Amino acid sequence: MKQVLYMSTRDNKSRFSSSQAILKGIAEDGGLFVPDKFPSMDIDWDYLIKLNYKEIAYDILKLFLTDFTEAELKYCINNAYDEKFDTEIIAPLKKKMGTFFLELYHGPTLAFKDMALSILPYLIKVAAKKNNIDKKICILTATSGDTGKAALEGFADVEGTEIIVFYPVNGVSEIQKRQMVTQEGKNVSVIAINGNFDDAQNGVKQIFNNRGMLNELDEKGYIFSSANSINIGRLVPQIVYYFYSYIQLLKDGEIKKGEKINFTVPTGNFGNILAGFYAKKLGLPINKLICASNINNILYDFLNTGTYDKRRELNLTVSPSMDIIISSNLERLLSNISGNDSSYVNNLMDSLYKNGYYEVDSKIKNSLKDFYGGYAKEDETLESLKEVFEKDDYLIDTHTAVAYSVYKAYKNTTKDNTKTVILSTASPFKFPKSVIKAIDPKNNSIDDFELIKIISNLSQISVPKGIVNIDQRDVLHSKVCNKEEMMQLIKNLLP
Ligand SMILES: *Cc1c(COP(=O)(O)O)cnc(C)c1O
């Protein structure tokens, strides 16, 4: 088996094993870990079509995590994709409105983050053992709403770990907040920050790059890692469901072996769609990766102009998990399409930091053609959600509605009839206010917990286990801090 090593996007001379890259989360130079040589896969559809989710997961993970043994990977996979998911098939594919919705929200926290965060704690645990780490691993996480809860759920009471989650005080839905602040576990802390997701993410990244702070905590017996999609251990498990959905389409007779399909991905930090790009590099027949944004449409602008310009205000939208300006994982794409040219990537990142923008050269711009960028305005999102519900009796959440809206526009503009899978990233029960606003605007109930019951009645779907009676659980976390205080707070939390 060929060994895959990892290097920083900002230093192509560094090398780390996959377990080291997962433990570190982010490179010390601020770059993200990427494979030094991209693995290749023998694609035999007659073989793959017989596999279940866990078996496909193993076949993908072993290509990237080459210093994990077969037994270790299978231990992680078996513990991740079990009864925590409310369906044995893990990620059901539904044919609706003439297209396909891949439901990635059947895990414990009702968003696609569970697809990777149910396995990451196990990967980290095994990685720590492999590298003889005798320190406590402190998972620092910034969340736009869904990562936080999924990480908390995954790491709560995991021996040898501590988890601290920062969420933007006004940037998450009532249900998302409630899920987090009621989290139980001896090793968990949840803190609201006065700021938006970018403030939380920047704060966390600064801590990872603060040698003094890292040394101080190292002496106290802690090392830091990340549960955000900057961690390669988050990204690799996300490649799996791209293959899984393709195989599902084959099984259902919707496509022929080798036929190209599109994916439409509601995008924020560019992690999910980057996993799609990695799937394409492995040989999955993908025509276009359609990158769907809300009105925080910096990626739409970038894909269309080649300029990434962060000099803009962040808008709060009905799809809060995508309210992001700095899409971290784009750096991995730039690294890949520049041929791992770390000095080029460094220049872009410097320019983003110093000038607030960067512009890629024409060669890079040309390589962005795997992607198509679109965005949905707020009313278009709600309109799309309503349309799918009324025409096909299928309730999607607001993030998925952004994707559906962008896909419709894509099809209209390009006349491309390639079969398309829309990644359905959250359950509609997570965003009841906005969902009701779309399907029953006259309802002016303001209580999310009341609305959950109304949605259950309207959609004839019972309230998912993860949020039943959530309004009656005790609030265990009520700290609020300013972004400047994050570092001190962490020091106080880790005695
Ligand atoms: C996180 C999230 C997204 C965005 O995914 P990225 O990997 O950050 O691009 C989209 N929808 C939902 C519901 C999410 O939780």
Side-chain angles (χ1 to χ4, degrees), residues 112-113 146 266-272 321-322 399 425-426:
F112 94 95
K113 304 297 197 291
D146 290 327
T267 298
N269 222 359
F270 210 75
N272 203 2
S321 303
M322 295 156 66
H399 303 76
T425 49

Side-chain angles (χ1 to χ4, degrees), residues 51-61 73-74 76-83 88-90 240 244:
L51 306 186
N52 64 25
Y53 196 90
K54 289 183 197 176
E55 290 162 339
I56 298 169
Y58 174 68
D59 277 8
I60 303 284
L61 264 56
L73 284 179
K74 287 189 171 163
C76 295
I77 290 167
N78 288 333
N79 279 293
Y81 305 109
D82 60 7
E83 301 75 40
E88 218 170 292
I89 55 175
I90 307 295
V240 178
Y244 186 70

Side-chain angles (χ1 to χ4, degrees), residues 1-5 18 61-68:
M1 175 65 74
K2 212 171 69 203
Q3 187 80 350
V4 175
L5 294 173
S18 57
L61 264 56
K62 74 173 183 196
L63 300 174
F64 288 89
L65 310 182
T66 52
D67 70 325
F68 287 69

